[in-house]
Amino acid sequence: MEKLVSSRVNKQSVPESYVFPPEKRPGDVAVRTCNSIPVIDLGGSDQAEVIEQILRACEEYGFFQLVNHGVPEKSINDMMGVAMEFFEMPVEERAKLYSEDPSQVVRVKASIRYDNEDVHYWRENLRHPSHPVEKFINLWPEKPSRYRDVAATYSVEVRGVALRILELICEGLGLERDYFGDELSSTQVLSINHYPKCPDPSLTWGLQQHCDPNIITLLLQGEVSGLQVFKDGEWMGVEALPNAYVVNLGQQMQIISNGRLKSVKHRVATNSTAARTTVVAFIYPDKDSIIAPAPTLVDVKSSPLYRAFRFQEFVNTYTDISDDKETTLKHFKL
Ligand code: OGA
Ligand code: NI
């Protein structure tokens, strides 16, 4: 239980096992949040314009915020509410679901890989599959009592937005609309991060820099910012916009688009004034699906940058401990 960082929140200082060596610490430098990632209005009437904005954001930033996405504010508030309640329960409740075994379907984990890392991250996490809902709902947490109902509704709604964005990306790239409609998006994972208030945010991280290994990610960051995105050699803070999704591309999208769209590294800083809870929906390919640059995006002018592989091979190669995004991708480069 002491592995769960919320059991340590009453500490006046950051425990040593969470303190990064000086050259890897956040330090006191504030990152800029002005000039941040593009904000795109999905409710805009000019669809061609929306597609162009999405494509440009995916090429230049690998990230954007989405407003007017159609998910009711109530669903978002309910989901954020049960997510926060889950981490406000006594730590003993969460400890029952704690596991270090990634094959455990529903699990709570601490940091990134508590038993295999040199320094720990200031984070707890709950994750479980969420599509199709009927297949997994009976395995989801029973507490808070509204969790299953709320997460079921939310999972269906967030999936709708994710698939819609994928269709728009396809239109923009000139792929068939449903290119991602089947096995390339068949797995969905709901992942809830909790970063308790931290006595000294200059010493530790919420999450190390990483690229998501999936197709596309939709994140709710509530009212507390902390996410930082790498752009033109600098880290940029992502402003917390109420009810907006922070959307970013996973590495499979970079590969399928043959490098045209970017999967960009990001990280999370902690903060000393408020706990932060984020609700993340990851869309993944089926383990057996074949990932490769889309044939129509490869021609004499742009030869394929990546080889074809089964997604399981990527999963076996990806390591969430490394902070270098090329570590995994280099195995798939041509
Ligand atoms: C992630 C992630 C960011 C955040 O879970 O992959 O990047 O702000 N989360 O919680
Ligand atoms: Ni991420």
Side-chain angles (χ1 to χ4, degrees):
M1 199 160 70
E2 71 286 351
K3 293 180 183 176
L4 291 169
V5 66
S6 51
S7 65
R8 304 182 177 242
V9 287
N10 294 325
K11 289 262 163 28
Q12 298 301 309
S13 60
V14 175
E16 202 174 328
S17 60
Y18 292 80
V19 175
F20 281 77
E23 68 282 5
K24 292 199 160 179
R25 286 178 198 171
D28 292 322
V29 278
V31 299
R32 292 185 304 140
T33 45
C34 55
N35 206 0
S36 193
I37 60 174
V39 178
I40 298 176
D41 182 347
L42 192 59
S45 53
D46 185 346
Q47 167 136 329
E49 172 66 22
V50 173
I51 292 173
E52 201 195 305
Q53 289 176 1
I54 291 178
L55 264 266
R56 207 179 320 129
C58 292
E59 287 168 352
E60 291 177 13
Y61 293 80
F63 265 85
F64 56 93
Q65 303 222 53
L66 194 69
V67 296
N68 261 322
H69 42 64
V71 175
E73 204 175 316
K74 178 175 181 337
S75 307
I76 289 180
N77 290 342
D78 284 353
M79 187 65 229
M80 267 301 200
V82 291
M84 279 157 59
E85 281 169 42
F86 183 82
F87 288 98
E88 280 160 9
M89 295 191 303
V91 66
E92 295 77 15
E93 280 301 330
R94 283 193 294 294
K96 292 178 195 162
L97 294 173
Y98 183 84
S99 170
E100 304 247 346
D101 174 6
S103 68
Q104 197 66 238
V105 181
V106 177
R107 67 178 180 126
V108 165
K109 64 175 190 168
S111 185
I112 292 178
R113 286 225 219 145
Y114 197 94
D115 286 351
N116 291 291
E117 59 200 10
D118 297 333
V119 185
H120 305 308
Y121 295 85
W122 201 259
R123 170 229 201 190
E124 282 178 33
N125 176 263
L126 164 69
R127 60 178 56 215
H128 58 69
S130 70
H131 175 77
V133 166
E134 324 73 81
K135 183 169 171 194
F136 299 109
I137 190 169
N138 291 328
L139 303 171
W140 293 355
E142 287 176 278
K143 289 184 188 168
S145 58
R146 293 190 309 145
Y147 185 88
R148 289 182 179 179
D149 272 357
V150 167
T153 305
Y154 181 76
S155 296
V156 172
E157 286 173 341
V158 70
R159 183 169 183 79
V161 183
L163 297 184
R164 176 97 187 94
I165 302 169
L166 290 173
E167 282 179 5
L168 295 171
I169 289 177
C170 285
E171 288 198 35
L173 289 175
L175 301 174
E176 305 100 83
R177 263 178 80 113
D178 61 351
Y179 196 88
F180 295 97
D182 191 9
E183 55 175 26
L184 290 177
S185 61
S186 63
T187 301
Q188 180 172 322
V189 173
L190 202 60
S191 168
I192 304 178
N193 295 306
H194 181 71
Y195 311 96
K197 268 193 217 178
C198 177
D200 187 348
S202 73
L203 299 178
T204 192
W205 290 106
L207 211 50
Q208 73 174 344
Q209 61 175 63
H210 67 282
C211 286
D212 294 350
N214 54 328
I215 295 275
I216 194 164
T217 305
L218 273 70
L219 171 136
L220 292 175
Q221 66 168 345
E223 290 171 2
V224 188
S225 59
L227 177 61
Q228 301 175 358
V229 172
F230 198 65
K231 165 79 173 144
D232 298 334
E234 271 189 88
W235 290 96
M236 223 168 51
V238 177
E239 193 188 349
L241 294 181
N243 299 314
Y245 279 110
V246 178
V247 180
N248 73 287
L249 303 183
Q251 290 177 313
Q252 307 318 305
M253 184 65 96
Q254 179 168 322
I255 294 168
I256 292 167
S257 70
N258 202 32
R260 178 164 164 197
L261 309 184
K262 303 283 185 291
S263 179
V264 167
K265 60 184 181 182
H266 49 286
R267 65 185 188 188
V268 177
T270 63
N271 100 51
S272 60
T273 51
R276 177 167 184 265
T277 303
T278 61
V279 175
V280 192
F282 291 111
I283 303 289
Y284 279 95
D286 183 84
K287 295 252 173 24
D288 286 324
S289 55
I290 301 295
I291 307 292
T296 55
L297 300 181
V298 175
D299 56 27
V300 272
K301 287 202 295 305
S302 53
S303 53
L305 298 178
Y306 305 95
R307 65 177 171 87
F309 56 91
R310 205 172 288 278
F311 184 56
Q312 180 68 55
E313 189 188 339
F314 192 94
V315 174
N316 297 342
T317 314
Y318 183 81
T319 154
D320 48 13
I321 293 180
S322 166
D323 63 2
D324 175 7
K325 74 175 205 154
E326 296 305 324
T327 316
T328 309
L329 274 182
K330 70 170 189 269
H331 295 279
F332 303 95
K333 281 210 168 110
L334 285 173

